[in-house]
Amino acid sequence: MRSLLLRTLPLILLAGALAGQDFESERGALVEEVRADVRYTSRHLGRAELRRAVLEALGRVPRHEFVPPDLRRYAYENRPLPIGYGQTISQPYIVAIMTDLLDLERDDVVLEVGTGSGYQGAILAELVDEVYSIEIIPELGEQVRERFAQLGYDDIVTRIGDGYYGWPEHAPFDAVIVTAASGHVPPPLIEQLRPGGRMVIPVGGPFSTQQLMLLTKTANGEIRSRQVLPVAFVPLTGEH
Ligand code: SAM
């Protein structure tokens, strides 16, 4: 009995240490990798360096808390990972550039469509005080609510529903981020964007090239748009 305990104790301690690990240096390395990718794609992005606040948020949010436990060791690799129900947590580089394109100020009100794991929402909540996030898959929506509560992201308000229609009760939004690809930009989301507001959204079909689009609404309500770069997202689902 005693020898079994002596043999298993180191393993138990190791598992405990991994569970409690903060991964700070892995996060630092990830930030450097994202910065290098940004420099490499600067022609598309129109800039070679992301805003410092965005990089700092990436360096703070514990991505390992947003992935399934058996994938934790991959949490700081710069790639998407499965989160169940056929969905993914987006690649950190994509999360970073989408956040940067929103050009956020602390008092901006932000709507996210596609809460998923909650990672993108947590990055947004590091930068602004008001984040609303909608998820269509009830199980993911429930999980993320618990995760935000455990991690202390109390300012993110979540809802289970079809984000195509936005969240009129909290509109207008200074920024809207859609993290699933749509064949067109949902008109309700354009309506709910404040004049001067920004929206990032992948546009395209599930089996065709999608373009990450940046839309801005001018002070007189006109929409300007530009294609940022080709991307691959899971589709925006729902009845629309
Ligand atoms: N932002 C997420 C994250 O950080 O983990 C990435 C999410 S994943 C790429 C896209 C998410 O959009 C999925 O969780 C999917 O269920 C959700 N989704 C798809 N269509 C939706 C819709 N009409 N309304 C709300 N969420 C939707």
Side-chain angles (χ1 to χ4, degrees), residues 87-88 112 114-117 120 134-137 162-163 179 236-237:
Q87 305 304 322
T88 52
E112 179 190 24
T115 323
S117 69
Q120 172 74 73
I134 309 174
E135 170 56 51
I136 203 165
I137 299 179
D162 187 347
T179 67
L236 190 76
T237 58

Side-chain angles (χ1 to χ4, degrees), residues 75-229:
Y76 294 100
E77 293 184 5
N78 190 16
R79 61 174 165 122
L81 291 169
I83 55 170
Y85 308 95
Q87 305 304 322
T88 52
I89 177 173
S90 302
Q91 181 189 3
Y93 159 75
I94 294 289
V95 171
I97 64 168
M98 287 177 82
T99 308
D100 192 81
L101 287 164
L102 293 177
D103 194 9
L104 297 171
E105 303 278 345
R106 174 55 65 183
D107 59 355
D108 280 350
V109 182
V110 182
L111 174 69
E112 179 190 24
V113 174
T115 323
S117 69
Y119 178 66
Q120 172 74 73
I123 294 279
L124 295 168
E126 294 282 334
L127 300 167
V128 302
D129 295 330
E130 248 182 292
V131 178
Y132 297 91
S133 187
I134 309 174
E135 170 56 51
I136 203 165
I137 299 179
E139 291 84 351
L140 286 177
E142 306 285 351
Q143 272 177 25
V144 85
R145 200 167 282 164
E146 276 175 34
R147 181 171 296 137
F148 284 152
Q150 272 168 12
L151 297 175
Y153 285 105
D154 305 326
D155 295 338
I156 308 174
V157 185
T158 60
R159 179 164 80 77
I160 293 165
D162 187 347
Y164 180 94
Y165 302 100
W167 200 334
E169 294 83 353
H170 297 291
F173 300 102
D174 299 287
V176 174
I177 176 167
V178 183
T179 67
S182 176
H184 61 273
V185 182
L189 298 183
I190 294 179
E191 264 160 49
Q192 291 172 34
L193 198 60
R194 190 193 295 281
R198 291 82 54 205
M199 185 190 315
V200 279
I201 176 169
V203 178
F207 305 110
S208 59
T209 307
Q210 305 158 2
Q211 287 292 335
L212 185 65
M213 306 285 299
L214 171 66
L215 280 77
T216 46
K217 194 184 248 190
T218 63
N220 59 11
E222 267 173 49
I223 298 297
R224 306 247 162 90
S225 70
R226 87 167 165 94
Q227 285 185 2
V228 181
L229 82 172

Side-chain angles (χ1 to χ4, degrees), residues 42-85:
S42 57
R43 192 168 54 87
H44 294 279
L45 305 178
R47 54 195 294 149
E49 189 71 85
L50 299 183
R51 287 168 180 76
R52 204 165 75 182
V54 173
L55 293 171
E56 284 173 357
L58 207 66
R60 271 197 304 273
V61 175
R63 192 170 188 252
H64 62 279
E65 300 284 4
F66 293 82
V67 303
D70 57 324
L71 298 180
R72 271 190 167 192
R73 60 189 183 283
Y74 306 117
Y76 294 100
E77 293 184 5
N78 190 16
R79 61 174 165 122
L81 291 169
I83 55 170
Y85 308 95

Side-chain angles (χ1 to χ4, degrees), residues 2-16:
R2 189 162 173 268
S3 69
L4 179 68
L5 188 67
L6 284 178
R7 263 186 282 135
T8 52
L9 194 61
L11 288 176
I12 294 168
L13 290 177
L14 179 66

